[in-house]
């Protein structure tokens, strides 16, 4: 267990208050990066009392997920025109920064009025690309984390908390979730 459900809820509310202050009088357009950001995005927008719109993109990478090398491709484009909109990209985690950097290179061509990055988690020690989230929920250590939208082989996205995979040998197929005090995974 790294971050408990109540801590996440509290932090998401704090982030929402900051965004409300920064975007007062505007109608931000929240673009969630699928699939990892889906749960954070859903909770964040429900915390906001601003008028807002939302959309989603999906990016995939060729090559190992843990490697910062290899090209990225756009699997699902935006559905809405973002020209003149105040766009806030919502990511689950900024790890190497490759996804955020790709999106920040690609989206300005669509002429948004502004573009910011909001991430639930950030792993500053892993940064390879120059991604600088404007809003960050929690900095986390260089561990593989799951839950609250984040997956390991598509599993564990539904956990209401963030947990780190146990470092075990052999890896990664037999990696296990660390056990909480209650014995839950
Ligand atoms: P990037 O390296 O910043 O481009 O991160 C790419 C994506 O990898 C993130 O949006 C996550 O979906 C995924 N990712 C990175 N680190 C983790 C992790 O610790 N657990 C689960 N997914 C991760």
């Amino acid at each position: 267990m790294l971050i408990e459900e109540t801590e996440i809820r509290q932090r998401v509310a704090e982030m929402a208050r900051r965004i409300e202050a920064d975007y007062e009088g505007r109608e931000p357009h929240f673009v969630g990066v699928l699939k990892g950001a889906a749960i954070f995005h859903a909770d964040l927008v429900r915390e906001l009392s601003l008028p807002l719109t939302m959309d989603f993109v999906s990016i995939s990478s060729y090559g190992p997920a843990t490697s910062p090398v290899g090209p990225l491709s756009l699997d699902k484009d935006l559905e809405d025109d973002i020209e003149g909109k105040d766009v806030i990209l919502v990511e689950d985690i900024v790890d190497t920064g490759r996804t955020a950097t790709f999106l920040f290179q690609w989206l300005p061509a669509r002429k948004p009025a502004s573009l910011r990055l909001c991430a639930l988690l950030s792993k500053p020690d892993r940064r390879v690309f120059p991604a600088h989230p404007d809003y960050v929920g929690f900095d986390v250590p260089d561990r593989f984390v799951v839950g609250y939208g984040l997956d390991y082989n598509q599993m564990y996205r539904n956990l209401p908390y963030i947990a780190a995979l146990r470092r075990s040998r052999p890896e990664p197929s037999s990696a296990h979730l660390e056990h909480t005090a209650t014995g839950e995974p």
Side-chain angles (χ1 to χ4, degrees), residues 91-93 95-99 123 143-145 150-151:
E91 272 208 272
D92 52 353
I93 185 166
D95 181 26
T96 65
R98 179 169 61 151
T99 306
K123 285 186 198 166
R143 300 284 305 274
F144 197 84
V145 295
L150 291 110
D151 74 305

Side-chain angles (χ1 to χ4, degrees), residues 45-58:
V45 295
R46 284 181 296 177
E47 270 293 335
L48 287 159
S49 56
L50 291 168
L52 61 85
T53 49
M54 62 177 91
D55 201 352
F56 295 92
V57 288
S58 178

Side-chain angles (χ1 to χ4, degrees), residues 9-123:
R9 199 176 307 127
Q10 200 178 346
R11 186 69 185 130
V12 171
E14 286 169 7
M15 295 171 86
R17 298 296 82 79
R18 268 198 57 203
I19 293 171
E20 280 169 354
D22 292 351
Y23 287 82
E24 196 182 346
R26 293 191 274 169
E27 290 185 16
H29 186 63
F30 287 83
V31 174
V33 183
L34 296 173
K35 299 174 194 170
I39 290 177
F40 172 46
H41 186 274
D43 282 351
L44 180 68
V45 295
R46 284 181 296 177
E47 270 293 335
L48 287 159
S49 56
L50 291 168
L52 61 85
T53 49
M54 62 177 91
D55 201 352
F56 295 92
V57 288
S58 178
I59 311 287
S60 68
S61 64
Y62 300 108
T66 51
S67 162
V69 296
L72 291 177
S73 73
L74 186 67
D75 284 348
K76 184 205 169 300
D77 201 343
L78 294 170
E79 289 178 12
D80 305 321
D81 185 4
I82 58 166
E83 186 167 347
K85 292 185 182 170
D86 292 309
V87 174
I88 302 179
L89 276 177
V90 182
E91 272 208 272
D92 52 353
I93 185 166
V94 179
D95 181 26
T96 65
R98 179 169 61 151
T99 306
T101 301
F102 173 81
L103 289 166
F104 270 75
Q105 283 170 355
W106 166 62
L107 288 175
R110 308 266 178 111
K111 301 189 173 75
S114 65
L115 183 58
R116 281 188 172 177
L117 177 61
C118 174
L120 177 72
L121 307 176
S122 174
K123 285 186 198 166

Side-chain angles (χ1 to χ4, degrees), residues 152 166-175:
Y152 173 70
R166 176 185 288 164
R167 292 181 214 273
S168 60
R169 293 281 185 270
E171 63 171 354
S173 58
S174 63

